[in-house]
């Protein structure tokens, strides 16, 4: 549901294939996110398990707690691709990124 604020890790098969094709290693979301309360795991394409998985972490009205759990799970990750929709991409900057993810410059 796109109307519910959440943090999402998309491990659609085409994305994980691109990562391995360049010799990198994919984040093990099934292990790293498993202990986060409310985690929802779905097929990247409904009914097609081979399409990969989508891991959704709801904020449950506590964005700070969800953000802290999400980024703790991402410790050791070198690259994050931000796929947030920005109605005017020219105004989306690093400050916007930090705000969207409940982070500060010192996070």
């Amino acid at each position: 549901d796109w109307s519910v604020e959440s943090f999402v890790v998309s491990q659609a098969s085409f994305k994980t294939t691109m990562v391995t094709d360049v010799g990198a290693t994919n984040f093990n979301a099934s292990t790293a996110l498993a202990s986060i309360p409310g985690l929802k795991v779905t097929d990247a394409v409904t009914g097609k398990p081979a399409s990969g998985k989508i891991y959704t972490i709801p904020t449950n009205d506590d964005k700070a707690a969800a953000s802290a759990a999400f980024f703790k799970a991402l410790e050791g990750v070198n690259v994050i691709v931000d796929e947030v929709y920005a109605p005017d991409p020219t105004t989306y900057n690093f400050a916007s990124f930090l705000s969207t993810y409940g982070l500060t410059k010192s996070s």
Side-chain angles (χ1 to χ4, degrees):
D1 181 358
W2 291 101
S3 65
V4 177
E5 186 173 44
S6 59
F7 295 98
V8 176
V9 173
S10 171
Q11 292 201 311
S13 296
F14 77 93
K15 293 176 183 180
T16 58
T17 298
M18 286 191 289
V19 170
T20 56
D21 282 354
V22 298
T25 303
N26 283 291
F27 171 65
N28 187 339
S30 64
T31 300
L33 303 175
S35 66
I36 296 178
L39 177 69
K40 181 179 176 186
V41 182
T42 56
D43 292 336
V45 177
T46 303
K48 306 275 186 190
S51 67
K53 298 292 181 201
I54 303 291
Y55 300 83
T56 305
I57 302 159
T59 62
N60 295 324
D61 297 322
D62 191 350
K63 185 175 183 176
S67 176
F70 182 56
F71 282 96
K72 180 163 181 44
L74 292 177
E75 286 178 355
V77 171
N78 294 318
V79 177
I80 297 171
V81 177
D82 179 10
E83 295 183 344
V84 167
Y85 172 73
D88 181 359
T90 63
T91 64
Y92 192 79
N93 54 30
F94 188 59
S96 305
F97 170 83
L98 293 174
S99 175
T100 297
Y101 289 96
L103 301 170
T104 65
K105 286 184 181 179
S106 61
S107 295

